[in-house]
């Protein structure tokens, strides 16, 4: 494919050297040595250096500074061009550029995500590349979609025509407002791959499953950008909900793949602890097979999209044996979230992950993950409840 620029987005409270350098609150030994923290390790394997900015660049996570050292400072963001960002977006973004950005408030609210997405979009636009590949985890995965919108809305015609491909690892917007630019893919995204963790139940970690764009869905809708605020860019372009039940005659979208994967939010991005938490004393070889599988998936897609790695894969085991071992050792993943049986006497389904593709924070806009993915293959023990029913419009693949 050639002339590809890759942007690797870190998740909340993650530095640009996450998993490569230990710091207070983040011991690098919680990460699988073969995969590291996947977005950062991918960048390192594309460029050979953590600090490189071409042909790949990293973007820090919300509520955090760029590097483990210095601990109290971050680099200025690229906000003023080449994209023609509106005044309201620049005003909202500039407080998060440079200085000490480590903040518990920001980590919870995620307000700096727009600034980081604009920064990434500007870096991509000024690269002059003929294709943009975005990979991110958590809010970093959501920023992939936001950055694509900023390229679509504020780029020159030449930039708008550059295809964007996204690999989103457990995208989570957080508990705040879910704007349309989080829940809908813009027309410049030609491929989207989303991985959703099955065993993540923490409050505020509902996963977003963005809607396919018109070309993916095979429909004729045209883009009409919203006006009045950057937050409304996609409000007039919210297309078919991929989580809603299928209607007669609806085919599968093209260039759009959804994967369900065992493990917690951190597990699918490189964490190898038995509980998906952050104590290196809890590392577990069985848990490591999930990040190794996701890492292989990420490298495979990025390679097919034109990103060129300088080193061979850090995981020698092929995907099929990894999948088989994950399913043979399912107890470690069952124990991450409610055990092998997810039924409960408590109201609702407290041991079932929830996802959404609807703008807003209304809890009635969410779906239970087990209700939208279809039936897990009988050989793969994904815990479900007796209340499980139905399936969404878009097919899912179980890793």
């Amino acid at each position: 494919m050639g002339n590809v620029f890759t942007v690797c987005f870190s998740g909340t409270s993650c530095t640009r050297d996450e998993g490569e350098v230990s710091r207070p609150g983040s011991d690098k030994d919680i990460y699988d040595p073969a995969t590291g923290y996947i977005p950062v390790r991918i960048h390192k394997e594309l460029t050979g250096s953590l600090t490189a900015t071409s042909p790949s660049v990293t973007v820090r996570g919300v509520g955090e500074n760029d590097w483990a050292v210095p601990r109290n400072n971050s680099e200025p963001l690229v906000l003023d061009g080449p994209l023609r960002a509106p005044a309201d977006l620049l005003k909202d973004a500039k407080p998060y550029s440079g200085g000490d950005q480590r903040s518990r408030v920001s980590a919870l609210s995620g307000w700096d995500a727009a600034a980081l997405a604009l920064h990434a979009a500007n870096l991509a636009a000024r690269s002059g590349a003929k294709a943009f590949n975005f990979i991110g985890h958590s809010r970093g995965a959501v920023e992939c979609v936001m950055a694509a919108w900023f390229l679509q809305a504020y780029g020159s015609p030449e930039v708008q025509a550059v295809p964007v491909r996204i690999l989103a690892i457990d995208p989570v917007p957080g508990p705040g407002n879910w704007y349309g630019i989080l829940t809908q893919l813009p027309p410049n995204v030609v491929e989207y791959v989303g991985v959703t963790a099955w065993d993540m139940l923490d409050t505020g970690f509902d996963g977003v499953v963005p809607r396919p764009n018109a070309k993916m869905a095979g429909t004729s809708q045209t883009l009409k950008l919203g006006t009045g605020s950057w937050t409304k860019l996609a409000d007039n372009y919210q297309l078919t909900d991929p989580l809603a039940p299928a209607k007669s005659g609806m085919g599968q979208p093209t260039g759009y793949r959804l994967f369900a994967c065992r493990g917690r939010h951190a597990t699918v991005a490189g964490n190898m602890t038995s509980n998906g938490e952050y104590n290196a004393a809890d590392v577990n070889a069985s848990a490591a097979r999930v990040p190794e599988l996701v890492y292989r998936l990420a490298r495979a897609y990025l390679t097919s999209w034109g990103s060129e790695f300088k080193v061979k894969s850090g995981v020698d085991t092929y995907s099929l044996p990894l999948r088989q071992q994950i399913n043979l050792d399912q107890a470690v993943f069952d124990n991450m979230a409610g055990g092998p049986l997810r039924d409960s006497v408590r109201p609702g389904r407290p041991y079932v992950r929830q996802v959404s593709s609807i703008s807003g924070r209304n809890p009635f806009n969410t779906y239970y993950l087990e209700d939208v993915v279809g039936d897990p293959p009988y050989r793969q023990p994904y815990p479900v409840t007796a209340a499980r029913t139905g399936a969404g419009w878009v097919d899912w693949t179980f890793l």
Side-chain angles (χ1 to χ4, degrees):
M1 191 173 294
N3 201 6
V4 175
F5 187 74
T6 305
V7 183
C8 305
F9 296 79
S10 293
T12 299
S13 298
C14 290
T15 56
R16 294 173 61 190
D17 52 11
E18 184 74 21
E20 306 296 322
V21 180
S22 292
R23 57 183 168 84
S26 181
D27 185 337
K28 70 176 184 179
D29 289 338
I30 65 173
Y31 294 103
D32 184 339
T35 72
Y37 179 61
I38 292 174
V40 171
R41 180 63 62 82
I42 289 290
H43 167 72
K44 186 177 179 181
E45 292 178 347
L46 287 170
T47 65
S49 170
L50 289 172
T51 58
T53 57
S54 179
S56 170
V57 68
T58 48
V59 176
R60 63 175 171 83
V62 301
E64 189 49 80
N65 289 315
D66 284 285
W67 309 106
V69 178
R71 192 72 187 95
N72 61 349
N73 195 34
S74 61
E75 299 168 11
L77 302 178
V78 178
L79 303 177
D80 293 325
L83 300 185
R84 302 181 299 274
D88 66 326
L89 177 55
L90 291 174
K91 180 181 178 181
D92 289 344
K94 284 181 178 177
Y96 301 106
S97 179
D100 190 354
Q101 295 295 335
R102 187 157 57 97
S103 165
R104 179 65 175 166
V105 172
S106 289
L108 292 172
S109 70
W111 287 120
D112 38 346
L116 297 170
L118 178 59
H119 166 70
N122 274 315
L123 293 177
R126 79 179 187 184
S127 72
K130 301 303 182 184
F132 303 142
N133 292 345
F134 295 165
I135 176 174
H137 167 238
S138 189
R139 280 202 183 99
V142 177
E143 289 163 22
C144 293
V145 181
M146 298 175 73
W149 270 107
F150 293 156
L151 289 165
Q152 178 73 62
Y154 307 133
S156 66
E158 293 77 15
V159 168
Q160 292 173 1
V162 176
V164 178
R165 295 173 172 85
I166 295 174
L167 196 148
I169 303 173
D170 211 40
V172 171
N177 288 323
W178 287 27
Y179 303 120
I181 58 171
L182 279 60
T183 60
Q184 171 68 57
L185 297 178
N188 58 347
V189 176
V190 297
E191 294 193 61
Y192 177 85
V193 175
V195 177
T196 298
W198 191 266
D199 301 298
M200 185 64 193
L201 305 178
D202 292 11
T203 301
F205 281 83
D206 290 351
V208 65
V209 183
R211 298 162 184 244
N213 59 38
K215 186 175 182 180
M216 291 173 167
T219 64
S220 59
Q221 289 102 322
T222 57
L223 174 64
K224 180 181 178 182
L225 291 174
T227 59
S229 168
W230 64 268
T231 64
K232 300 182 182 297
L233 283 175
D235 287 5
N236 298 326
Y237 190 70
Q238 295 288 299
L239 305 184
T240 305
D241 183 355
L243 305 177
K247 297 180 181 179
S248 177
M250 293 179 66
Q252 290 298 301
T254 59
Y256 183 91
R257 292 290 305 275
L258 300 177
F259 292 91
C261 186
R262 295 306 308 266
R264 285 173 57 86
H265 181 66
T267 314
V268 293
N271 184 302
M272 62 177 294
T273 64
S274 60
N275 51 18
E277 296 295 338
Y278 308 101
N279 187 342
D282 296 324
V283 296
N284 181 288
S286 293
R289 296 186 179 101
V290 161
E292 289 173 5
L293 180 59
V294 175
Y295 164 87
R296 285 191 62 92
L297 182 82
R299 280 191 54 125
Y301 270 107
L302 289 169
T303 298
S304 72
W305 296 344
S307 296
E308 297 181 358
F309 288 88
K310 290 184 176 294
V311 297
K312 70 174 187 177
S313 172
V315 177
D316 294 329
T317 308
Y318 288 114
S319 296
L320 181 57
L322 287 172
R323 295 175 72 188
Q324 292 171 332
Q325 201 59 52
I326 289 167
N327 291 301
L328 287 172
D329 293 348
Q330 76 267 20
V332 67
F333 306 107
D334 293 345
N335 292 335
M336 288 182 178
L341 299 176
R342 298 293 164 90
D343 288 301
S344 171
V345 296
R346 295 165 57 190
R349 286 177 262 178
Y351 302 124
V352 179
R353 183 82 187 272
Q354 295 191 53
V355 293
S356 183
S357 61
I358 300 173
S359 178
R361 62 173 74 184
N362 186 338
F364 294 103
N365 286 341
T366 61
Y367 298 82
Y368 289 108
L369 181 59
E370 66 177 10
D371 287 343
V372 301
V373 297
D375 292 319
Y378 74 92
R379 290 189 179 91
Q380 294 179 271
Y382 277 70
V384 296
T385 72
R388 199 208 79 76
T389 181
W393 161 50
V394 176
D395 293 338
W396 290 63
T397 298
F398 292 83
L399 289 175

